[in-house]
Amino acid sequence: MAKENKEKTQKYRIDIIVILSVILVSLVAFCVMELTRKEGEVAVVEVNGVTVAEYSLLSDGVFPINGGTNVLVIEGGAAYFNYSSCPTHTCEARGKIRYVGERIDCLPNRVSVVIRGEGGVDLVS
Amino acid sequence: MRNNTVKLTTLALSVSFALILSYIESRIPTFVAIPGVKMGLANIAVIFTLYKLGIKEAVAVSFVRVVMVSVLFGSPVSFIYSVSGAIVSLCCMVLLKKITPLSEIAISVVGGVMHNVAQTVVASVILGTSVVQYYLPYLLLSGSLSGVAIGVVSAILIKKINLSRGR
């Protein structure tokens, strides 16, 4: 049994190295994101890659976007979508974002919200 | 003649297997709200075909699946995402199978991750802004975890199912 296990480990050795390195890369990326994160100041709304609006995270509000296909809510320093006309509703389920560089993308409607730092300058990416 | 019939039937079964898996996948609610995070169940059928029948057959199964899934449950936009993911992922899997001693499991992981990478690049083009650096860590993690699961299932099927039986 032990021998069989050893042979198995031998067989899958390169596999394990490849898989663990992919996971490691993602974990390192998460750590870097976590360590460098900063509270954002503005929510920048992009439609088709063009910035259409910027809202300060300091003042709460409800903003229809892109002629009403999505509704952005700003509340207590965070931003989230509470309505999307698309069938998947992934952007609604994504929840609140508040740190610089965080984003919610509604792929079907091509609407994005990105959190930026002071003066709208993106320090992270 | 008989061989052709066997081959045709096996291919047709592989395509229906892939379609059923795609349908099951579409019924599973997404548990993480990151676009692109999914199991990739249909890849079981593609990996199975790649190992059991060959490269050409795997390309055929993958392509027919993508087209049929888009026609049945998708949209033109979802077709662009699926087709780009499928092409890149299959190319990587074929290449790795040919030039490295990696097993089905690592090949499935790389296939899954590359599927995600291709879709993130396409998403960046469609959105008109680069989203790769933000989503990649999530997709690498979810792609490798689901890739392991898919790879293990595929490896078992490849080992247990004998296509030449009853010939």
Side-chain angles (χ1 to χ4, degrees):
Chain A
M1 192 64 195
K3 198 183 164 216
E4 201 180 285
N5 273 343
K6 205 180 167 194
E7 271 171 20
K8 259 195 172 157
T9 322
Q10 211 74 35
K11 189 188 163 200
Y12 289 117
R13 207 170 145 184
I14 319 172
D15 288 65
I16 293 167
I17 296 171
V18 169
I19 295 164
L20 287 185
S21 44
V22 175
I23 294 176
L24 192 71
V25 168
S26 73
L27 292 182
V28 167
F30 278 123
C31 290
V32 170
M33 265 161 75
E34 199 69 18
L35 290 174
T36 58
R37 74 181 189 183
K38 267 177 63 179
E39 297 256 346
E41 308 221 331
V42 251
V44 180
V45 178
E46 292 175 2
V47 177
N48 283 319
V50 181
T51 302
V52 295
E54 292 187 13
Y55 302 107
S56 167
L57 289 175
L58 300 174
S59 44
D60 294 0
V62 178
F63 311 100
I65 286 161
N66 194 20
T69 61
N70 297 66
V71 176
L72 179 76
V73 180
I74 292 181
E75 205 179 87
Y80 64 94
F81 280 121
N82 81 341
Y83 171 77
S84 170
S85 62
C86 73
T88 56
H89 300 284
T90 308
C91 67
E92 295 169 29
R94 181 76 175 80
K96 295 180 177 180
I97 53 170
R98 58 169 72 239
Y99 298 105
V100 175
E102 281 192 306
R103 57 186 304 133
I104 309 177
D105 295 285
C106 175
L107 296 176
N109 291 337
R110 298 187 194 178
V111 173
S112 308
V113 161
V114 194
I115 303 295
R116 294 276 152 88
E118 220 170 327
V121 182
D122 186 350
L123 296 168
V124 167
S125 55
Chain B
M1 179 64 191
R2 171 147 190 195
N3 260 342
N4 269 342
T5 318
V6 169
K7 201 174 171 191
L8 187 64
T9 317
T10 318
L11 267 179
L13 279 174
S14 301
V15 170
S16 12
F17 184 38
L19 280 177
I20 289 288
L21 291 173
S22 304
Y23 178 70
I24 293 172
E25 170 125 30
S26 75
R27 306 304 299 171
I28 301 174
T30 44
F31 42 94
V32 186
I34 301 280
V37 171
K38 57 180 180 180
M39 289 289 291
L41 288 179
N43 209 22
I44 297 174
V46 175
I47 294 175
F48 179 79
T49 316
L50 179 62
Y51 276 81
K52 283 291 186 184
L53 300 173
I55 296 171
K56 267 187 288 175
E57 288 79 0
V59 171
V61 167
S62 181
F63 187 71
V64 172
R65 174 195 85 85
V66 166
V67 171
M68 290 187 77
V69 166
S70 293
V71 170
L72 291 173
F73 335 107
S75 64
V77 178
S78 72
F79 176 73
I80 299 171
Y81 284 110
S82 329
V83 84
S84 56
I87 290 172
V88 174
S89 140
L90 196 55
C91 286
C92 292
M93 292 197 294
V94 167
L95 204 67
L96 287 181
K97 184 174 176 286
K98 284 209 133 179
I99 63 170
T100 67
L102 291 171
S103 80
E104 300 89 334
I105 301 173
I107 285 182
S108 154
V109 167
V110 174
V113 166
M114 290 316 290
H115 187 98
N116 282 150
V117 170
Q119 291 192 322
T120 325
V121 171
V122 173
S124 300
V125 173
I126 290 180
L127 288 170
T129 169
S130 174
V131 297
V132 179
Q133 75 281 11
Y134 180 64
Y135 286 118
L136 210 53
Y138 295 97
L139 295 173
L140 285 181
L141 188 62
S142 84
S144 42
L145 296 181
S146 59
V148 169
I150 297 302
V152 169
V153 174
S154 309
I156 294 171
L157 289 181
I158 291 164
K159 207 174 151 197
K160 299 275 177 189
I161 296 182
N162 183 1
L163 287 180
S164 58
R165 200 183 337 178
R167 194 175 275 181

